[in-house]
């Protein structure tokens, strides 16, 4: 078996100890007799086996001459340190190891029989190209700095991967040209500088096996699992508020100067705004963007040529420009990023995408005023630090998003996704002004020419139901203390007990005859000021302790009152609101997919919602009235579904309540703006205010000439003022009747005039119900109630 089998390389590998034996020849002349004698013995032994000096590629010779090779390498592999040092002798970039320390052998043994040793961060194509760069250094004197650290990943006894850094000692190597080798000219070298990844070009300049490698390398290996070798870079990237520190960017320049071994470099950043598809400048002291030059932001396609655009944004790969002046002349000043560099006096540059699995976040720019010092070869050194940069940018991006959200929350409130873009834009401007030292002002957010939709599913008789629950709780609590005072008067006949019983009876009578709004407050004060002090006194009487304990056990700690029927009522309202709001939210996701629009909902005694749809919200030239009509039909259908859903779960609620649904139709587009003081959107202008007036009062409106409310249980009321709205909704109703959402009892009624609002009408139609999700029968409200009670 030959070392070079199955390996394509410009180097024909031969293991040779020629260079090392020459070292021993020098040591043989040493004044130190012990050193000289040892060196002579090694030379004499090697002379008996000339292949050790001439070189060989037959793997079997390594085994055959194992003892002799060990003698030659004994000084390099000290027996004293063999259990401490991790060291191997091998050929470069090859997994063939022919000598190693005991520590290395132990590590490999621990990894297991199935473990295969490989250099992890060296792709196959890179091996060929790296071999070419070694030839450029050895044979042509080009000092290419490609000292990327290489690593082994080896599992320990616990199966945990540990990382070992490999340092090569190449003192015992020599590279010899063959007749097949092509002479490399300066022009060839210049071409290779910008084409690290062009494997075909490298193979053309350095044909396979056109050079002979003679020698071996000693690998000194270090466990760097816990190494903090890049901690300075990492700490510079993730330090809190470092963008505000004047020394931050200079420190960052120093980090990359050390990394690349080049003093004449500067570092810049550009943000990628995916939503706007623009490149933007980073805000911060000393920050620069060499891609943008003097611009604050620019369109991505306008800042790059098509190749570099695809390279950065689609492939997320870096590229270099080793000679800006040369590229500027070749492109005749028509390539935007080359022109930007040329105008700033930059001679070479690297552009590296800062990208994660979600795509591009920004661009790292490294530039120099010296040509060729930045190129596609040393650009590869960024591979090892890019994960830290990506992590830092992700954190910075998250911090910025949090800051934007914090500003929005502070200046506004929780914002619906459909209009979030507008608030984000203003928040960015706010941050930019602060960073620039200007007075930051959050500008007014307004949307014009949009159509409103409003609907509510309201709990009927909620005030009466709460009053009844309050009346029941207060009656129970009063009756309980009355029993205690009666027991107390039997034990201790005091007039005060009689007086408290009399006062309690008066409150009980008042509750049974006529419950007033202030009754609850009065009775609550009575318990707090009059009853509780007496009960604390009575607790000293053993015969009353059980009754008093039972009384206080019935009192709710939060409200400090008996809270049983009111809790059932409050729990019912909360459950209704939760279920209805949840259903509406789920349906809203579907509606947003049809066409984006603003949506908000509120929980009161029921659930109400606002929607606004129009061009200014979507930012796209796509709005058509068909989307408004679609949303109106969707709203009517969802209101029917919410009614159905409510009555299917009505029996599960602690208190039996009814609901009534209403939709308000407003025919004309209006404007809304965000009220900073109230943290919500509101209509703009006097005429548009009419819409808000109607919205707040219409559900309490009466049918003209009657005392009947427009909203009724079992029906949906559609309030409007224009004849064309009436025709439109009658069409929707007819469609939903065909789908068995609505009954056939359509009626059109006029509404009593509201303050400053006249001419309102309403279409009322009964909803058709199912008893449950599996029930295919259709019921009117009255039929459904009979079925439920049956």
């Amino acid at each position: 078996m030959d070392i070079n089998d199955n390996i394509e390389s410009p180097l024909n590998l031969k293991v040779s100890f020629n260079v090392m034996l020459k070292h021993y020849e020098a040591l043989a002349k040493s004044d130190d007799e012990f050193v000289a004698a040892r060196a002579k013995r090694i030379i004499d032994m090697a002379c008996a086996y000339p292949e050790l000096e001439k070189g060989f590629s037959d793997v079997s010779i390594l085994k055959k001459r194992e003892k002799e090779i060990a003698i030659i390498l004994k000084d390099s592999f000290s027996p004293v340190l063999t259990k401490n040092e991790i060291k191997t002798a091998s050929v470069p970039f090859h997994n063939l190891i022919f000598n190693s320390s005991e520590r290395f052998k132990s590590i490999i043994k621990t990894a297991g029989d199935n473990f295969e040793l490989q250099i992890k961060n060296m792709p196959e194509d890179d091996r060929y190209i790296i071999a070419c760069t070694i030839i450029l250094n050895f044979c042509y004197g080009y000092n290419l700095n490609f000292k990327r650290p290489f690593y082994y990943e080896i599992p320990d006894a616990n199966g945990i991967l540990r990382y070992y850094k490999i340092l090569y000692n190449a003192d015992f190597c020599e590279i010899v040209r063959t007749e097949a080798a092509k002479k490399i000219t300066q022009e060839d070298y210049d071409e290779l500088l910008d084409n690290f990844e062009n494997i075909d070009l490298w193979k053309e300049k350095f044909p396979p096996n056109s050079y002979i490698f003679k020698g071996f390398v000693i690998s000194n290996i270090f466990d760097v699992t816990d190494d903090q070798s890049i901690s300075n870079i990492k700490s510079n990237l993730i330090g809190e508020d470092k963008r505000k520190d004047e020394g931050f960017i200079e420190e960052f320049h120093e980090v990359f100067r050390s990394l690349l071994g080049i003093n004449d470099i500067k570092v810049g950043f550009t943000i990628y705004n995916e939503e706007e598809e623009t490149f933007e400048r980073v805000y911060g002291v000393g920050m620069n963007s060499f891609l943008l030059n003097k611009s604050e932001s620019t369109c991505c396609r306008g800042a790059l040529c098509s190749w570099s655009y695809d390279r950065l944004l689609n492939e997320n790969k870096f590229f270099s420009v080793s000679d800006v002046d040369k590229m500027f002349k070749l492109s005749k000043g028509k390539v935007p990023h080359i022109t930007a560099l040329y105008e700033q006096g930059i001679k070479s540059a690297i552009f590296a995408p800062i990208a994660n699995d979600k795509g591009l976040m920004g661009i790292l720019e490294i530039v120099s005023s010296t040509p060729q010092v930045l190129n596609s070869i040393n650009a590869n050194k960024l591979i090892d630090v890019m994960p830290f940069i990506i992590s830092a940018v992700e954190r910075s991006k998250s911090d910025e998003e949090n800051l934007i959200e914090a500003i929005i929350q502070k200046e506004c409130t929780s914002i619906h996704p459909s209009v979030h873009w507008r608030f984000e834009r203003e928040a960015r401007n706010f941050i930019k002004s602060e960073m620039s030292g200007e007075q930051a002002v959050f500008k007014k957010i307004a949307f014009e020419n949009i159509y409103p939709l409003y609907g509510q599913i309201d709990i009927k008789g909620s005030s009466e139901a709460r009053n009844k629950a309050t009346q029941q709780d207060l009656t129970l609590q009063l009756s309980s203390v009355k029993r205690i005072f009666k027991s107390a008067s039997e034990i201790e006949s005091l007039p005060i007990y009689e007086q408290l019983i009399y006062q309690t009876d008066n409150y009980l009578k008042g509750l049974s005859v006529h419950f007033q709004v202030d009754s609850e407050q009065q009775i609550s004060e009575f318990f707090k000021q009059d009853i509780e002090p007496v009960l604390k006194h009575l607790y000293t009487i053993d015969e009353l302790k059980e009754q008093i304990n039972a009384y206080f056990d019935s009192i709710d700690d939060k409200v400090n009152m008996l809270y049983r029927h009111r809790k059932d009522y409050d729990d019912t309202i909360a459950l209704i609101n939760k279920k209805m709001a949840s259903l509406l939210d789920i349906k809203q996701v579907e509606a947003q997919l049809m066409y984006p629009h603003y949506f908000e909902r509120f929980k009161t005694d029921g659930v109400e919602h606002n929607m606004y749809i129009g061009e200014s919200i979507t930012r796209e030239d796509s709005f058509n009235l068909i989307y408004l009509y679609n949303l109106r039909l969707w709203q009517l259908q969802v209101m029917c579904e919410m009614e159905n859903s409510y009555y299917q779960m009505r029996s599960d609620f602690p208190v039996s309540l009814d609901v009534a649904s209403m939709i308000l139709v407003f025919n004309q587009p209006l404007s809304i703006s965000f009220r900073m003081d109230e943290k919500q959107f509101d209509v703009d202008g006097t005429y548009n205010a009419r819409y808000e007036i109607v919205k707040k009062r219409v559900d309490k409106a009466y049918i003209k000439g009657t005392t009947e409310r427009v909203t009724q249980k079992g029906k949906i009321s559609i309030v409007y003022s224009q004849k064309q709205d009436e025709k439109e909704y009658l069409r929707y109703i007819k469609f939903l009747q065909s789908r068995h959402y609505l009954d056939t009892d359509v009626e059109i009624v006029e509404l009593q005039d509201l303050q400053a609002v006249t001419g309102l009408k309403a279409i009322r139609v009964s909803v058709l119900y199912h008893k449950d999700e599996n029930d295919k029968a259709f019921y009117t409200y009255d039929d459904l109630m009979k079925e439920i009670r049956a």
Side-chain angles (χ1 to χ4, degrees), residues 312-340:
L312 288 173
L313 275 78
N314 296 331
E315 296 181 28
N316 294 150
K317 292 182 179 179
F318 61 74
F319 71 91
S320 65
V321 183
S322 66
D323 194 329
V324 173
D325 290 353
K326 180 180 176 182
M327 289 301 297
F328 181 79
K329 290 176 185 176
L330 288 173
S331 64
K332 298 179 181 179
K334 294 181 180 179
V335 177
H337 64 282
I338 300 294
T339 302

Side-chain angles (χ1 to χ4, degrees), residues 747-762:
E747 60 176 332
I748 297 174
V749 297
E750 289 186 46
L751 270 59
Q752 187 173 305
D753 293 344
L754 301 174
Q755 184 181 345
V757 180
T758 61
L760 291 178
K761 290 185 174 184

Side-chain angles (χ1 to χ4, degrees), residues 206-422:
F206 300 90
N209 300 314
S210 56
Y211 294 81
I212 295 173
F213 172 92
K214 288 179 64 178
F216 67 97
V217 291
I218 292 176
S219 300
N220 293 289
I221 303 167
F222 302 92
D223 186 339
V224 292
T225 305
D226 301 319
D227 199 313
Q228 297 299 311
S229 60
I230 314 178
S231 64
N232 290 336
I233 293 175
K234 190 175 179 182
S235 62
N236 270 279
L237 287 167
I238 66 175
E240 289 284 352
D241 296 324
K242 287 223 171 183
R243 283 193 300 177
K244 295 180 180 178
D245 183 359
E246 290 186 12
F248 165 70
I249 197 66
E250 184 55 37
E251 289 176 16
F252 211 63
H253 290 165
E254 287 299 327
V255 167
F256 279 88
R257 286 167 188 158
S258 299
L259 178 70
L260 297 170
I262 303 167
N263 191 46
D264 175 30
I265 63 168
K266 292 182 180 179
V267 180
F269 293 91
T270 300
I271 295 172
Y272 173 56
N273 185 334
E274 184 180 9
E275 193 172 36
E276 305 281 348
E277 189 143 318
T278 56
F279 288 133
E280 298 175 358
R281 190 177 293 277
V282 178
Y283 314 125
V285 179
M287 289 287 188
N288 204 353
S289 170
F290 303 103
L291 183 63
L292 293 177
N293 198 357
K294 296 177 182 178
S295 301
E296 288 294 316
S297 67
T298 188
C299 171
C300 296
R301 292 190 180 276
L304 300 166
C305 65
S306 58
W307 180 87
S308 56
Y309 177 94
D310 187 63
R311 180 81 171 172
L312 288 173
L313 275 78
N314 296 331
E315 296 181 28
N316 294 150
K317 292 182 179 179
F318 61 74
F319 71 91
S320 65
V321 183
S322 66
D323 194 329
V324 173
D325 290 353
K326 180 180 176 182
M327 289 301 297
F328 181 79
K329 290 176 185 176
L330 288 173
S331 64
K332 298 179 181 179
K334 294 181 180 179
V335 177
H337 64 282
I338 300 294
T339 302
L341 296 174
Y342 181 81
E343 289 175 353
Q344 296 170 82
I346 295 166
K347 304 301 182 184
S348 59
I350 296 170
F351 294 97
I354 304 168
N356 57 15
D357 54 1
K358 295 179 182 177
L360 186 71
M361 295 180 290
I363 298 171
L364 169 68
E365 308 160 347
I366 303 175
V367 302
S368 174
S369 57
T370 306
Q372 297 190 338
V373 296
L374 296 172
N375 51 69
S376 71
I377 296 173
N378 59 15
N380 282 268
K381 297 189 78 172
L382 296 177
I383 292 171
D384 300 300
V385 297
M386 287 310 291
F388 297 107
I389 294 173
I390 290 166
S391 177
V393 172
E394 283 175 336
R395 177 183 167 186
S396 176
K397 193 176 177 71
S398 176
D399 287 349
E400 184 180 46
E401 287 171 355
N402 291 338
L403 180 57
I404 288 170
E405 285 298 330
I407 291 170
I408 292 172
Q409 290 288 345
K410 180 182 174 183
E411 299 292 332
C412 320
T413 185
S414 183
I415 303 303
H416 189 260
S418 64
V419 293
H420 192 278
W421 64 271
R422 184 66 183 278

Side-chain angles (χ1 to χ4, degrees), residues 460-608:
K460 296 295 291 181
S462 57
S463 298
E464 292 84 350
R466 193 189 189 285
N467 287 343
K468 183 180 178 182
T470 303
Q471 188 179 13
Q472 289 173 313
D473 280 346
L474 293 176
T475 299
L476 285 172
Q477 191 170 351
L478 287 165
S479 299
S480 181
V481 296
K482 180 181 175 181
R483 285 193 296 272
I484 293 172
F485 291 138
K486 278 191 173 183
S487 299
S489 64
E490 290 171 3
I491 297 169
E492 188 178 23
S493 182
L494 296 177
I496 188 65
Y497 300 146
E498 295 298 326
Q499 188 268 331
L500 289 171
I501 292 170
Y502 169 78
Q503 201 169 347
T504 302
D505 280 335
N506 278 342
Y507 280 125
L508 284 168
K509 185 178 179 182
L511 288 173
S512 63
V513 176
H514 180 59
F515 179 80
Q516 295 181 333
V517 176
D518 61 345
S519 298
E520 182 178 1
Q521 181 64 30
Q522 288 177 7
I523 295 173
S524 177
E525 288 297 317
F526 172 63
F527 281 120
K528 186 176 181 181
Q529 294 179 6
D530 299 337
I531 302 298
E532 287 184 12
V534 177
L535 290 179
K536 287 177 183 177
H537 164 71
L538 293 175
Y539 197 71
T540 59
I541 302 172
D542 291 340
E543 295 93 321
L544 297 176
K545 280 186 178 180
E546 187 176 343
Q547 272 185 282
I548 296 172
N549 282 332
Y551 168 79
F552 280 109
D553 286 344
S554 70
I555 301 302
D556 186 271
D557 293 335
K558 292 180 181 178
V559 298
N560 204 29
M561 293 283 286
L562 192 143
Y563 182 59
R564 188 177 303 162
H565 293 91
R566 279 174 293 181
K567 185 177 186 302
D568 286 344
Y569 169 82
D570 289 340
D571 287 349
T572 299
I573 297 296
L575 282 168
I576 292 171
N577 286 346
K578 182 181 178 181
K579 298 285 187 182
M580 294 298 98
S582 176
L583 176 61
L584 189 57
D585 288 346
I586 292 168
K587 294 294 181 180
Q588 245 297 298
V589 174
E590 301 170 6
Q592 290 292 341
L593 294 174
M594 297 177 194
Y595 193 83
H597 56 279
Y598 179 83
F599 169 80
E600 61 182 357
R601 60 162 175 75
F602 308 97
K603 296 178 183 177
T604 52
D605 283 351
V607 176
E608 56 184 286

Side-chain angles (χ1 to χ4, degrees), residues 527-718:
F527 281 120
K528 186 176 181 181
Q529 294 179 6
D530 299 337
I531 302 298
E532 287 184 12
V534 177
L535 290 179
K536 287 177 183 177
H537 164 71
L538 293 175
Y539 197 71
T540 59
I541 302 172
D542 291 340
E543 295 93 321
L544 297 176
K545 280 186 178 180
E546 187 176 343
Q547 272 185 282
I548 296 172
N549 282 332
Y551 168 79
F552 280 109
D553 286 344
S554 70
I555 301 302
D556 186 271
D557 293 335
K558 292 180 181 178
V559 298
N560 204 29
M561 293 283 286
L562 192 143
Y563 182 59
R564 188 177 303 162
H565 293 91
R566 279 174 293 181
K567 185 177 186 302
D568 286 344
Y569 169 82
D570 289 340
D571 287 349
T572 299
I573 297 296
L575 282 168
I576 292 171
N577 286 346
K578 182 181 178 181
K579 298 285 187 182
M580 294 298 98
S582 176
L583 176 61
L584 189 57
D585 288 346
I586 292 168
K587 294 294 181 180
Q588 245 297 298
V589 174
E590 301 170 6
Q592 290 292 341
L593 294 174
M594 297 177 194
Y595 193 83
H597 56 279
Y598 179 83
F599 169 80
E600 61 182 357
R601 60 162 175 75
F602 308 97
K603 296 178 183 177
T604 52
D605 283 351
V607 176
E608 56 184 286
H609 64 271
N610 289 316
M611 294 185 288
Y612 298 102
I613 187 169
E615 192 76 59
S616 59
I617 289 176
T618 55
R619 291 187 297 167
E620 299 174 4
D621 186 18
S622 61
F623 179 71
N624 187 288
L625 285 174
I626 190 69
Y627 295 115
L628 169 63
Y629 303 147
N630 182 73
L631 193 59
R632 284 176 171 175
L633 176 58
W634 170 89
Q635 182 190 35
L636 181 56
Q637 182 173 319
V638 168
M639 295 294 282
C640 294
E641 292 177 12
M642 289 172 70
E643 281 261 357
N644 244 298
S645 179
Y646 170 74
Y647 281 107
Q648 285 174 13
M649 64 181 76
R650 181 174 181 264
S651 58
D652 298 332
F653 297 142
V655 178
S656 181
L657 296 171
D658 283 306
V659 296
S661 299
M662 185 202 74
I663 289 171
L664 174 62
V665 185
F666 197 74
N667 189 267
Q668 297 298 316
L670 46 73
S671 298
I672 60 170
S673 64
F674 193 83
R675 307 295 187 196
M676 295 296 181
D677 52 347
E678 297 175 10
K679 309 296 184 189
Q680 66 180 35
F681 277 103
D682 203 353
V683 296
D684 265 346
T686 306
Y687 173 76
N688 294 331
R690 178 174 177 266
Y691 171 71
E692 287 295 329
I693 293 170
V694 174
K695 204 166 69 173
K696 290 174 182 176
R697 299 175 181 172
V698 71
D699 65 319
K700 301 294 190 293
Y702 293 101
I703 296 174
K704 205 165 192 176
T706 73
T707 56
E708 182 184 346
R709 288 273 174 85
V710 66
T711 55
Q712 292 292 316
K713 59 190 178 185
K715 293 178 181 285
I716 284 186
S717 301
I718 304 161

